[in-house]
């Protein structure tokens, strides 16, 4: 009953917020494009035989000299930019979503336990969180990336890149989840339903997962949305700095880094189209996050 | 008050020790310095002798004590990559980063605080609304994209400003400054804007929120009722009360500015510490990475300490409570 009421209210608020509708359309379009990239993209950017140097540096179709085969033009190797961007967005979103999921599980788990048990465990987790919060996420991610390069054998670097970046981003984002979960648990723990469950002798894990967790999902969902945007930005920044994904499997950030070489020449599409994609994606997700925050926090309305 | 300062000092020392320990563990457990220093043809016996000579077989805590002691004396060791002393490498890069960070911070303050006050006093005005929307978009655009946009607009299209490097430098002792040449100032504009924009939006939103809250408090209402001039209410009574959280955040931001300068320095090829750190990551230069970590932590600790001392100076209640 409550769920249905919440849903109808959410739908009603959503229909009255043009920013949220636009953001949702943009985000869903890009996500679908990324998800179905192998079916939508005209060529496979990873397949070296699918493009040729003869088609290099062609502008998008609406410019003079554009080729109808290449909707958004080609890069210097003759790769179709539209396909590259779809596959790039696919990689960016996959890494960001994975990193966010790991951060969510880790952060919520630690936060729940810290809030539930309190005491020394809580103190240790929160001190670590404090220290990490003082360091900007980009610095944490860079450090983890650098350390992993030192630990892992050199010839495995490229194969493990994807995993390393995902873990680096996840470890720089878990703190928000942990703090929110912990704060919510402090409120919920003293409520009657939790006390009743404790007195019935239920296992703490069961109380945390079955009773408390469903009641603190709202704020966690908001953080998940905002952190998804942060994760996309972090991955793009790492790749842009040249410590992220390599050029043969480019994410949006790698595409922008490659495009930087054309900043001074006339081939604007190689740089600006991936940049536009990235910015639209992040702005859209952030706007959706703002909408969710307002939805779950009626006092702001 | 003295006790308070002493307590904070002791805490700071412990934080620095913890960071030094982390940096040392990095050094100790990631990569083997002997294999970095010697070639394939060095015999196992020679490697072992070198290990013994360098004290790498000593107990962990003996090595850690030596590491900390050397650092305190300004000996930061040598880079794996360039074989130069790290202390000198960092010192030669330090002025560039500090100058860029300071200029960025100053820009964010002299624009952010007035903009925050203005949007707080006229929340429904057209200008305020446009400023707020602009900052929302500004927060969502990644730093490096802002840098590229600025380079494209002012460097490539209009050709007004240089897009890479520091411009001319003047040496004052060991400090190579680019704040004393026209070209140096021109070089600062784009990177400092890039670096400062995020801090600017943060400062503005914070000042706005605080100011709106303070304007609703009793002592301001009382001042209004008493007929104190608006000017005095806004800028003497209200603004001074918004400053405490603002100072905290600004202080913590400066650390953020130094960390974010990694991205900005990379976009603008600014020869600062961030660029050095990035290179050291790419080449797995563990000693440089760990020293960078210690230096950054040192900045954070010093800034936190200064922020606490500033509290004492600004908020008379703290002084009273401490002395009672």
């Amino acid at each position: 009953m409550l769920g249905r009421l919440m849903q109808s209210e959410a739908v009603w608020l959503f229909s009255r917020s043009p920013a949220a509708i636009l953001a949702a359309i943009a985000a869903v379009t890009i996500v679908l494009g990324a998800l179905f990239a192998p079916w939508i993209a005209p060529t496979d950017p990873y397949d070296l035989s699918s493009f040729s140097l003869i088609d290099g540096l062609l502008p998008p179709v609406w410019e003079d000299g554009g080729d109808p085969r290449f909707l958004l033009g080609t890069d210097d190797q003759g790769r179709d930019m539209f396909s590259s961007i779809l596959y790039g967005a696919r990689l960016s979103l996959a890494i960001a979503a994975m990193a966010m999921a790991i951060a969510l599980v880790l952060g919520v788990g630690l936060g729940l336990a810290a809030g539930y048990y309190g005491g020394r465990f809580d103190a240790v987790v929160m001190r670590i969180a404090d220290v990490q919060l003082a360091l900007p996420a980009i610095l944490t991610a860079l450090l983890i990336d650098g350390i992993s390069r030192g630990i892992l054998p050199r010839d495995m670097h490229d194969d493990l890149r994807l995993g390393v970046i995902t873990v680096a981003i996840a470890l720089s984002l878990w703190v928000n989840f942990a703090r929110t979960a912990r704060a919510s648990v402090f409120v919920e723990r003293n409520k009657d339903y939790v006390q009743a469950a404790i007195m019935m002798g239920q296992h703490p894990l069961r109380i945390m997962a079955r009773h408390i967790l469903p009641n603190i999902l709202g704020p966690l969902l908001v953080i998940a949305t905002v952190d998804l945007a942060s994760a996309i930005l972090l991955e793009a920044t790492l790749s842009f700095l040249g410590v992220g994904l390599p050029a043969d499997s480019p994410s949006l950030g790698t595409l922008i880094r490659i495009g930087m070489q054309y900043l001074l020449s006339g081939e604007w599409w190689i740089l600006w189209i991936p940049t536009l994609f990235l910015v639209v994606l992040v702005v859209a997700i952030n706007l959706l996050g703002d909408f969710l925050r307002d939805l779950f926090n009626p006092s702001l309305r | 008050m003295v006790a308070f300062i002493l307590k904070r000092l002791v805490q700071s020392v412990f934080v620095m020790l913890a960071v030094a320990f982390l940096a040392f563990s990095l050094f100790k457990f990631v990569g083997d310095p002997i294999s970095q220093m010697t070639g394939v043809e060095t015999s196992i016996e020679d490697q072992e002798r070198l290990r013994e000579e360098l004290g790498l077989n000593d107990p962990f805590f003996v090595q850690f004590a030596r590491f900390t002691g050397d650092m305190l004396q300004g000996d930061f060791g040598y880079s794996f990559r360039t074989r130069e002393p790290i202390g000198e490498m960092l010192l030669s890069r330090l002025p560039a980063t500090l100058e860029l960070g300071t200029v960025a911070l100053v820009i964010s303050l002299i624009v952010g605080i007035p903009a925050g006050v203005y949007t707080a006093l006229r929340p429904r005005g057209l200008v305020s609304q446009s400023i707020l929307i602009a900052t929302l978009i500004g927060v969502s655009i990644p730093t490096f994209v802002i840098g590229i946009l600025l380079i494209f607009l002012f460097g490539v299209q209009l050709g007004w400003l240089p897009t890479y490097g520091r411009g001319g430098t003047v040496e004052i002792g060991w400090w190579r400054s680019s704040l004393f040449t026209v070209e140096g100032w021109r070089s600062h504009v784009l990177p400092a804007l890039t670096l400062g924009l995020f801090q600017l939006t943060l400062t503005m939103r914070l000042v706005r929120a605080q100011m709106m809250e303070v304007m609703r408090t009793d002592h301001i209402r009382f001042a209004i009722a008493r007929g104190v001039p608006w000017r005095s209410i806004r800028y003497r009574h209200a603004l001074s009360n918004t400053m405490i959280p603002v100072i905290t955040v600004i202080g913590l931001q400066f650390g953020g500015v130094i960390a974010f300068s990694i991205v900005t320095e990379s976009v603008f090829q600014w020869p600062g510490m961030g660029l050095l750190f990035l290179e050291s990551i790419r080449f797995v230069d563990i000693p440089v990475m760990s020293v960078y970590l210690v230096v950054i932590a040192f900045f954070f600790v010093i800034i936190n300490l200064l922020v606490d001392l500033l509290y004492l100076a600004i908020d008379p209640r703290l002084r009273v409570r401490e002395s009672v």
Side-chain angles (χ1 to χ4, degrees), chain A residues 134 142-143 147 241 263-264 286, chain B residues 26 140 151 281-282 293 300:
Chain A
L142 277 172
L143 268 176
I147 294 169
L241 293 176
L263 185 63
L264 300 178
N286 270 336
Chain B
L26 199 67
S140 300
I151 290 182
I281 288 184
R282 260 187 225 134
L293 186 66
F300 272 102

Side-chain angles (χ1 to χ4, degrees), chain A residues 56-285:
Chain A
L57 298 178
L58 287 172
V61 276
W62 61 87
E63 295 258 309
D64 284 342
D67 187 317
R69 281 180 303 156
F70 307 111
L71 187 63
L72 300 177
T74 58
D75 65 6
D76 58 334
Q77 306 285 313
R79 247 188 231 107
D80 178 36
M81 284 303 291
F82 183 55
S83 310
S84 291
I85 289 173
L86 284 181
Y87 275 88
R90 188 181 162 87
L91 266 179
S92 295
L93 279 169
I95 293 176
M98 271 302 291
M100 206 267 292
I102 297 174
L104 182 98
V105 173
L106 185 71
V108 172
L110 284 175
L112 273 177
Y116 188 84
Y117 291 114
R120 192 168 292 169
F121 180 70
D122 178 42
V124 170
V125 171
M126 283 303 118
R127 278 299 83 70
I128 298 175
D130 284 347
V131 171
Q132 228 196 306
L133 213 62
L135 289 176
I138 179 74
L139 195 61
T140 317
L142 277 172
L143 268 176
I144 296 170
D145 190 282
I147 294 169
S148 73
R149 276 164 197 259
I151 296 174
L152 299 171
R154 214 165 276 261
D155 48 333
M156 286 167 71
H157 277 186
D158 282 348
D159 304 331
L160 295 174
R161 217 77 277 279
L162 214 71
V164 167
I165 294 177
T166 312
V167 171
I169 295 172
L171 288 183
S172 23
L173 291 179
W174 68 275
V175 177
N176 277 338
F177 288 109
R179 287 169 69 101
T180 313
R182 173 177 174 269
S184 311
V185 171
F186 270 137
V187 177
E188 299 294 322
R189 194 178 48 182
N190 295 323
K191 289 193 179 163
D192 288 344
Y193 74 93
V194 177
Q195 293 300 327
I198 293 173
M199 263 183 285
M200 280 159 68
Q202 292 193 351
H203 194 272
L205 277 181
R206 190 184 155 83
I207 297 177
M208 279 186 250
R210 291 292 300 275
H211 297 280
I212 300 180
L213 189 60
N215 281 301
I216 63 173
L217 276 183
L220 290 178
L221 186 65
V222 176
I223 294 202
T225 320
V226 176
D227 270 10
L228 184 65
S230 312
I232 294 173
L233 277 188
L234 267 178
E235 186 280 318
T237 307
L238 287 178
S239 292
F240 176 79
L241 293 176
V243 293
L245 291 178
D248 56 358
S249 55
S251 69
L252 287 177
T254 322
L255 288 176
I256 296 172
R257 181 166 64 99
I258 298 168
M260 266 294 268
Q261 295 156 11
Y262 296 91
L263 185 63
L264 300 178
S265 56
E267 288 87 11
W268 57 269
W269 59 92
I270 302 179
L271 170 62
W272 292 117
I273 296 180
T275 309
L276 188 70
F277 254 80
L278 177 69
V279 171
V280 169
L281 181 62
V282 175
V283 171
I285 295 178

